Amino acid sequence: KMASKATLPTLPSHGPLCTLTSSSSVRYELCISTSVDNTLVVHLTSADTDGSAPRTWTGTYSQQYVEDITRKSGNFKKFATFHTMLLESLREVSNNSLTLDVLT
């Protein structure tokens, strides 16, 4: 690790942070975790109990990709800042200033 990299916040029990959310009347379990090499992992599983098989989507994003995409959006964030904001939106501790929408 390079000394200039920011330290990431520690996830509970060193595992993913998960929450239930809904989009278009479908409930989802959304889990966010990071690896030691600053790779962001987003795991989304449908959580409906209507008897249908759960649908799962997983995305993996490198530190470089996250920083590039925020730069392209015109609102650059360092990986550690983006990660913290993402976790705060899941924990809902940011006084509603951060929200996370699941677009399906």
Side-chain angles (χ1 to χ4, degrees):
K1 259 185 172 177
M2 294 173 35
S4 62
K5 287 189 177 177
T7 302
L8 293 176
T10 303
L11 294 173
S13 303
H14 304 286
L17 176 64
C18 298
T19 189
L20 288 177
T21 188
S22 60
S23 176
S24 304
S25 73
V26 177
R27 289 174 38 117
Y28 294 96
E29 179 181 51
L30 176 64
C31 296
I32 305 293
S33 62
T34 54
S35 64
V36 293
D37 65 347
N38 283 348
T39 298
L40 178 68
V41 179
V42 179
H43 187 81
L44 185 68
T45 303
S46 62
D48 282 339
T49 57
D50 64 359
S52 61
R55 293 169 291 165
T56 301
W57 175 84
T58 301
T60 306
Y61 309 96
S62 68
Q63 175 179 346
Q64 184 66 48
Y65 177 80
V66 169
E67 291 179 358
D68 286 347
I69 202 76
T70 62
R71 184 176 294 108
K72 289 177 184 177
S73 76
N75 191 9
F76 174 73
K77 299 286 185 264
K78 299 218 39 94
F79 183 84
T81 302
F82 182 87
H83 180 256
T84 299
M85 291 173 68
L86 187 58
L87 294 180
E88 286 178 2
S89 72
L90 291 180
R91 291 183 185 133
E92 298 177 356
V93 296
S94 57
N95 298 324
N96 297 325
S97 63
L98 295 172
T99 60
L100 179 66
D101 291 327
V102 176
L103 304 175
T104 58

